[in-house]
């Protein structure tokens, strides 16, 4: 009797685990950075590549960091939502252009020198924003993706809510939709700005 009961119990446990797993959202990836200081960086700005931006410049402000790339299909989906958010001028939105050339499988970046790659990134990212609207107060160039690694970027797009003290308060993986903006991000921004 025992030799038939244990496999049946094991099968039942597997069915329960599978049922629980199927009800989880794969985009809900917890971030160990929530509640911790945003990683420091200094990256060239898209609009003025000779100048750099650092999150230290945002101390004292609640702001959003949005990871994007022109090759990212989901970024195109969320872009109109970000453009509308920017029109409200309720929160500074900083773009982190992530692996613009290296993330695009159509281009072999190993054949480009650093200066050529940077020119291509500026041309592609700047052109994309010119065509689709630029919701960002500024965008910075994470050409090799190292800053993305520091932030634990799981997939593009991702959006981080950062408070006045430079602490990450929320990470959203995937496109920002009107529902996510209204239901999660804007209420948190209101709370943090009190």
């Amino acid at each position: 009797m025992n030799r038939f009961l244990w496999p049946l119990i094991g099968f039942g446990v597997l069915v329960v685990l599978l049922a629980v797993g199927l009800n989880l959202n794969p985009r809900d990836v917890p971030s160990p950075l929530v509640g911790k200081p945003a990683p420091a960086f200094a990256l060239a700005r898209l609009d003025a590549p000779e100048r750099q931006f650092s999150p230290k410049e945002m101390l004292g402000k609640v702001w959003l960091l949005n990871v994007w790339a022109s090759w990212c299909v989901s970024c195109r989906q969320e872009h109109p939502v970000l453009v509308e958010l920017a029109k409200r001028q309720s929160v500074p939105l900083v773009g982190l252009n992530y692996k613009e050339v290296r993330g695009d499988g159509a281009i072999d970046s190993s054949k480009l020198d650093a200066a050529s790659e940077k020119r291509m990134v500026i041309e592609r990212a700047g052109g994309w924003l010119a065509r689709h609207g630029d919701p960002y107060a500024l965008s910075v160039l994470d050409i090799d993706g190292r800053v993305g690694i520091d932030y634990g970027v799981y997939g593009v797009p991702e959006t981080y809510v950062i408070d006045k003290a430079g602490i990450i308060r929320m990470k959203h993986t995937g496109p920002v939709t009107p529902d996510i903006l209204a239901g999660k991000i804007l209420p948190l921004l209101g709370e943090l700005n009190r």
Side-chain angles (χ1 to χ4, degrees):
M1 180 77 170
N2 271 347
R3 71 180 184 154
F4 295 112
L5 187 59
W6 286 113
L8 187 60
I9 291 172
F11 179 74
V13 168
L14 284 175
V15 168
V16 169
L17 289 174
L18 179 62
V20 169
L22 288 174
N23 287 316
L24 296 176
N25 183 350
R27 291 231 178 243
D28 288 341
V29 179
S31 173
L33 294 177
V34 173
K36 295 190 173 135
F41 64 81
L43 290 176
R45 292 173 49 149
L46 176 60
D47 63 336
E50 69 284 353
R51 294 178 51 204
Q52 291 194 327
F53 167 81
S54 169
K56 289 179 192 175
E57 296 175 39
M58 301 304 284
L59 288 175
K61 298 177 187 173
V62 176
W63 60 291
L64 298 177
L65 179 68
N66 177 256
V67 183
W68 70 281
S70 69
W71 48 261
C72 164
V73 175
S74 295
C75 296
R76 292 180 200 156
Q77 181 184 353
E78 82 171 354
H79 198 73
V81 175
L82 298 180
V83 169
E84 284 303 311
L85 175 63
K87 287 179 184 175
R88 297 180 193 180
Q89 297 180 342
S90 58
V91 62
L93 179 59
V94 174
L96 179 74
N97 180 259
Y98 180 71
K99 296 172 82 171
E100 180 64 39
V101 172
R102 295 179 189 196
D104 184 347
I107 298 169
D108 184 0
S109 62
S110 68
K111 295 182 180 176
L112 297 171
D113 61 77
S116 296
E117 183 177 12
K118 187 173 183 178
R119 275 194 305 277
M120 185 179 281
V121 166
I122 292 167
E123 180 181 302
R124 286 171 48 119
W128 194 86
L129 290 176
R131 284 189 304 280
H132 299 284
D134 187 351
Y136 303 108
L138 63 102
S139 250
V140 293
L141 309 176
D142 189 13
I143 294 171
D144 59 9
R146 289 183 187 179
V147 171
I149 290 170
D150 292 344
Y151 275 79
V153 170
Y154 175 73
V156 182
E158 289 189 4
T159 303
Y160 300 81
V161 176
I162 303 171
D163 72 13
K164 294 176 182 179
I167 306 296
I168 295 175
R169 293 299 173 191
M170 179 184 150
K171 174 184 178 181
H172 175 73
T173 302
V176 173
T177 64
D179 289 342
I180 301 253
L181 184 64
K184 290 184 176 180
I185 295 174
L186 290 177
L188 179 58
L189 292 174
E191 183 182 315
L192 294 173
N193 274 315
R194 278 191 215 138

